[in-house]
């Protein structure tokens, strides 16, 4: 018997593959009528109902953003088979896939580029009062030249307190630590700040973001803006400090 | 939307600052089961912010009991109502969330702070900036 692959259509979109899933639903890669790649984000019925008071935040936040590193909200599909957000497809793989599927070792140059682009996106978001709230290696996509930030399901508008942005700062620092560990071959039995071959300034920079209350001067600096943090990152991870990473680092 | 981030609720989303190196050298448990990760948080605490919002009813979505989808807190007002499906849409959204119709005129944001502006607002309720239309 000949088996034909069924072409699945959701509204005017042709589904090509399932590209991700999580607690909240499933993401499909699809093509629109012009052949453009899009992501269809389908919500699980149970989770949609459970969080019905918050489901709209992602649509509202994305409606107000326009940045090459942020997916555009292209539409909403509400049909009997499910409820979907249609989002711009961001080219590349997640940092999680680069690290753990491709076993990629990120060079100092790449970490600098990714960090800088990530802070560019954050600066834009924070200038629009948006806190992403879920920055992680699974939610940062890189195509080798451009970084994108995805999954705005937990994004919210800040309440006016500069401290609100600290969550994104801490989680971004955590992403950088993942990248710094990509070429590290040690045991991994000590805290990252003891183990990674960082300069004093790099260590202080990351510690200041991860635990400002315990870092000298951290509390005072906790309220500094994202632009300041980006400048510091570029200063401490830029040209002067490249090549300082230890054995086994590219 | 002031007070949106209570320290007690958002604190649990901070990464452990003392994590050992082994943590950074392996994929997280949930990540092993996910694909590209294009858009879904794996966290159970998604709704932790507790911010209510006007609700739209979503009558066509095929999910049962849409009438139970009620707001937990009133909005700032100024919601638009879709002439096609009769539901309201939260300020800022450029699509009706029930029928999917595009509505660019609802996607108005403060030029200063970036927050969504309710329909007909003359000033941003957060920063007070006059609305330029």
């Amino acid at each position: 018997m000949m088996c034909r692959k069924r072409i699945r259509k959701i509204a005017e979109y042709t589904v090509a593959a399932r590209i991700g899933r999580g607690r909240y639903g499933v993401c499909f890669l699809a093509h629109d009528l012009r052949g453009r790649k899009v992501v269809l984000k389908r919500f699980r019925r149970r989770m949609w109902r459970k969080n019905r008071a918050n489901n709209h935040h992602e649509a509202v936040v994305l409606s107000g953003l326009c940045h090459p590193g942020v997916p555009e909200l292209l539409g909403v599909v509400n049909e009997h088979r499910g409820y979907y957000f249609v989002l711009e497809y961001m080219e590349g793989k997640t940092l999680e896939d680069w690290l753990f599927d491709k076993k990629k070792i990120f060079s100092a140059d790449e970490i600098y580029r990714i960090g800088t682009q990530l802070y560019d996106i954050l600066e834009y978001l924070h200038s629009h009062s948006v806190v992403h709230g879920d920055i992680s290696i699974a939610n940062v996509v890189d195509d080798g030249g451009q970084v994108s930030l995805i999954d705005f399901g937990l994004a919210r508008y800040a309440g006016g307190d500069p401290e609100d942005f600290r969550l994104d700062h801490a989680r971004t620092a955590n992403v950088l630590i993942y990248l710094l560990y990509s070429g590290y071959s040690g045991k991994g039995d000590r805290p990252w700040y003891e183990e990674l071959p960082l300069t004093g300034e790099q260590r202080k920079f990351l510690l200041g973001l991860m635990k400002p209350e315990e870092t000298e001067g951290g509390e005072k600096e906790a309220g500094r803006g994202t632009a300041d943090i980006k400048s510091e990152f570029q200063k401490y991870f830029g040209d002067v400090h490249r090549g300082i990473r230890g054995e086994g680092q590219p | 939307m002031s007070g949106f981030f209570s320290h007690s609720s958002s604190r649990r989303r901070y990464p452990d600052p003392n994590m050992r190196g082994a943590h950074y050298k392996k994929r997280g448990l949930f990540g092993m089961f996910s694909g590209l990760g294009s858009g879904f948080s794996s966290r159970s605490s998604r709704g932790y912010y507790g911010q209510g919002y006007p609700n739209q009813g979503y009558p066509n979505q095929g999910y049962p009991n849409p009438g139970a989808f009620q707001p937990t807190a009133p909005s700032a007002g100024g919601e638009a109502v879709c002439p096609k499906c009769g539901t309201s849409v939260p300020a800022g959204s450029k699509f009706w969330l029930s029928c999917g119709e595009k509505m660019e005129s609802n996607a108005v944001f403060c030029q200063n702070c970036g927050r969504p502006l309710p329909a007909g607002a003359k000033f941003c309720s957060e920063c007070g900036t006059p609305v330029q239309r």
Side-chain angles (χ1 to χ4, degrees), chain B residues 45-113:
Chain B
S45 55
R46 181 185 175 99
Y48 70 96
Y49 292 119
Q51 162 104 351
Y53 211 88
N55 201 320
Q56 298 74 37
Y58 302 164
N60 300 327
Q61 70 185 20
Y63 291 173
N65 199 17
F69 195 7
Q70 294 299 320
T72 54
S75 74
E79 295 164 36
V81 177
C82 178
K84 185 177 168 187
C85 64
T87 57
S88 59
V89 63
S93 176
K94 63 181 176 183
F95 293 95
W96 256 288
L97 300 183
S98 54
C99 65
E101 284 289 302
K102 197 162 188 177
M103 190 203 180
E104 290 283 7
S105 60
N106 187 55
V108 182
F109 294 82
C110 175
Q111 295 287 318
N112 181 45
C113 70

Side-chain angles (χ1 to χ4, degrees), chain A residues 19 24 41 43 52 54 56 78 83 94 101 129 134 151 156 158 171 174 184 188-189 192-193 211, chain B residues 4 13 17-18 20-22 24-25 27 36-37 39-41 46 51 53 61 63 69 97-98 113 115:
Chain A
I19 53 174
Y24 275 77
K41 182 172 178 175
F43 293 86
R52 54 184 176 258
N54 294 299
H56 65 283
N78 186 4
Y83 188 84
T94 65
D101 288 347
S129 308
D134 197 20
D151 193 354
R156 300 290 186 270
R171 295 187 67 102
N174 205 43
Y184 183 75
D189 57 351
W192 62 270
Y193 45 83
K211 45 180 183 180
Chain B
F4 201 46
R13 299 197 56 75
N18 299 310
R20 291 171 189 272
Y24 292 100
K25 294 169 74 66
R27 188 192 282 267
L36 183 64
F40 276 105
S41 170
R46 181 185 175 99
Q51 162 104 351
Y53 211 88
Q61 70 185 20
Y63 291 173
F69 195 7
L97 300 183
S98 54
C113 70
R115 291 180 175 82

